[in-house]
Amino acid sequence: MNDLYDLGIPHPVTPYPKLIINAAITGMIPTRKNSPHVPLSPKEIIEDAVRCIRAGASIVHLHARDEDGEPTYRKELYEGMILGIRERCPEAILCVSTSGRRHNSFDCRSAPLELEGKAKPDMGSLTLGSLNFPEQASVNTPEMIEALALKMSERGIIPEIEAFEPGMIHAVKVLMLRGVLTGPLYVNILLGSLYASPATLFDLSCMVKSLPPSAHWAAAGIGRFQLNMNTAAILMGGHVRVGLEDNLYYDYARRNLATNEQLIRRVVRLSSELGREVAKPCEARAMLGLPSGQRQDRESWDMGMRRSEKIGRSMSGK
Ligand code: ZN
């Protein structure tokens, strides 16, 4: 955030940063029965991600599903999706899930963080505490959170911090003090889940006010609260997470199902009406301190060249 904002000078006198749109397109829960629009196979996810990026998203939050549409941590599926999206949108910021709702061992949860070269994710999700969802509990012990955060820091992956209630923002500070969270901070504030903080402007404001000043933040609303929380974030200088992972409907009251692209386009329209430009993926990379996608390409190309030179040398007996 900037100095004028910290002094309480309101928008539009305080110029806000360009809006980073994070598209959460699949998630763990929605099935084909819930909506025909949820992308499930790697091919569907790649196509949908590309549509969302072209519509204005700069981050895509990925969950892999297996052949039966069930959530999986298998890294070859993440690899296929990341390479497929990068081939067409090299600057897009790609975030993998480390959710423990189905598989709660460190090896399973950290598997997608192991990907190398061009398939290495830019970000990984990191929920900073345990909570109850209507379907099940999401258990994130302090040891697990710390181990995942350290793995990300070791690998140069930025955590997409998920905070469902104020205690999880306090945990950000504890982990900063302990030297576990050291890099750029990007905090998603997710409100409106049945057993966590409700999606009110009061709750959102309190959580935003308690963030470390250096943090970038985004707001997400679960289900019927998505549009309200996204709009509030645009007005407050935050960023937005939107997509079918959190909400299946374009119009919740009428139960009109949405596509991910429609949800992104609505946020882009709102943002433009409310006087905020939308960040392109390369601009979002600069804001979050990530290397440019082109450089990343270059690095993985260099790595590939070194590897093939090595293979060449060993084949020629050098
Ligand atoms: Zn997720």
Side-chain angles (χ1 to χ4, degrees):
M1 207 37 78
N2 59 43
D3 296 345
L4 287 174
Y5 178 87
D6 291 339
L7 283 172
I9 309 290
H11 182 69
V13 179
T14 294
Y16 284 156
K18 290 188 181 179
L19 184 78
I20 299 175
I21 301 176
N22 182 343
I25 61 178
T26 301
M28 309 272 299
I29 303 297
T31 64
R32 195 64 80 221
K33 274 191 203 140
N34 303 127
S35 166
H37 306 307
V38 185
L40 298 177
S41 71
K43 190 168 178 289
E44 289 169 354
I45 290 173
I46 294 167
E47 292 299 328
D48 212 32
V50 169
R51 277 193 290 272
C52 290
I53 296 159
R54 291 185 176 151
S58 40
I59 305 179
V60 183
H61 171 103
L62 295 165
H63 282 258
R65 299 286 185 98
D66 66 15
E67 296 72 11
D68 302 320
E70 294 294 320
T72 173
Y73 54 84
R74 276 161 46 199
K75 68 177 182 184
E76 69 273 16
L77 289 170
Y78 278 99
E79 182 177 31
M81 295 190 292
I82 292 175
L83 293 175
I85 299 168
R86 288 224 166 112
E87 199 178 306
R88 289 155 69 187
C89 304
E91 293 289 345
I93 299 168
L94 302 182
C95 175
V96 293
S97 172
T98 66
S99 171
R101 283 163 75 178
R102 283 292 178 95
H103 310 276
N104 204 0
S105 75
F106 175 73
D107 287 350
C108 294
R109 295 182 66 168
S110 64
L113 304 174
E114 302 272 355
L115 290 165
E116 300 274 0
K118 208 171 172 180
K120 193 184 95 172
D122 301 291
M123 301 179 83
S125 69
L126 186 69
T127 305
L128 285 202
S130 301
L131 75 153
N132 291 324
F133 287 114
E135 306 81 12
Q136 76 208 114
S138 168
V139 178
N140 301 290
T141 63
E143 297 75 27
M144 179 65 77
I145 294 168
E146 203 160 303
L148 289 169
L150 288 172
K151 177 95 188 173
M152 289 185 210
S153 139
E154 230 174 74
R155 307 235 50 233
I157 294 169
I158 297 182
E160 179 195 356
I161 293 169
E162 298 187 325
F164 288 81
E165 45 89 6
M168 295 193 194
I169 301 231
H170 178 66
V172 172
K173 296 170 188 169
V174 172
L175 293 178
M176 285 171 81
L177 270 177
R178 290 165 56 89
V180 176
L181 290 175
T182 50
L185 289 175
Y186 172 89
V187 183
N188 249 320
I189 300 174
L190 298 103
L191 301 180
S193 188
L194 194 56
Y195 300 109
S197 282
T200 69
L201 293 183
F202 177 78
D203 288 271
L204 178 62
S205 307
C206 287
M207 286 174 74
V208 170
K209 270 283 178 199
S210 64
L211 283 168
S214 61
H216 302 276
W217 65 274
I222 307 301
R224 71 189 79 190
F225 304 112
Q226 185 169 72
L227 180 58
N228 302 18
M229 290 297 106
N230 288 170
T231 311
I234 297 170
L235 287 166
M236 290 165 68
H239 302 284
V240 159
R241 161 168 148 163
V242 64
L244 299 180
E245 169 163 354
D246 300 334
N247 160 49
L248 293 174
Y249 301 101
Y250 194 84
D251 179 338
Y252 193 92
R254 295 192 175 82
R255 296 292 196 276
N256 287 340
L257 291 167
T259 65
N260 280 308
E261 187 186 1
Q262 286 171 342
L263 294 173
I264 308 283
R265 290 198 183 281
R266 175 161 65 184
V267 168
V268 172
R269 278 200 304 279
L270 278 169
S271 184
S272 143
E273 291 285 339
L274 296 170
R276 282 200 54 195
E277 272 185 69
V278 171
K280 296 188 182 81
C282 59
E283 293 169 328
R285 279 183 176 277
M287 287 157 75
L288 298 179
L290 282 162
S292 89
Q294 300 302 335
R295 204 179 106 203
Q296 203 167 44
D297 270 4
R298 182 79 215 169
E299 276 169 5
S300 54
W301 187 82
D302 286 347
M303 204 190 294
M305 283 304 285
R306 281 199 297 278
R307 206 175 287 153
S308 53
E309 275 168 17
K310 211 166 139 191
I311 295 168
R313 273 201 303 278
S314 64
M315 282 170 74
S316 62
K318 285 181 195 164

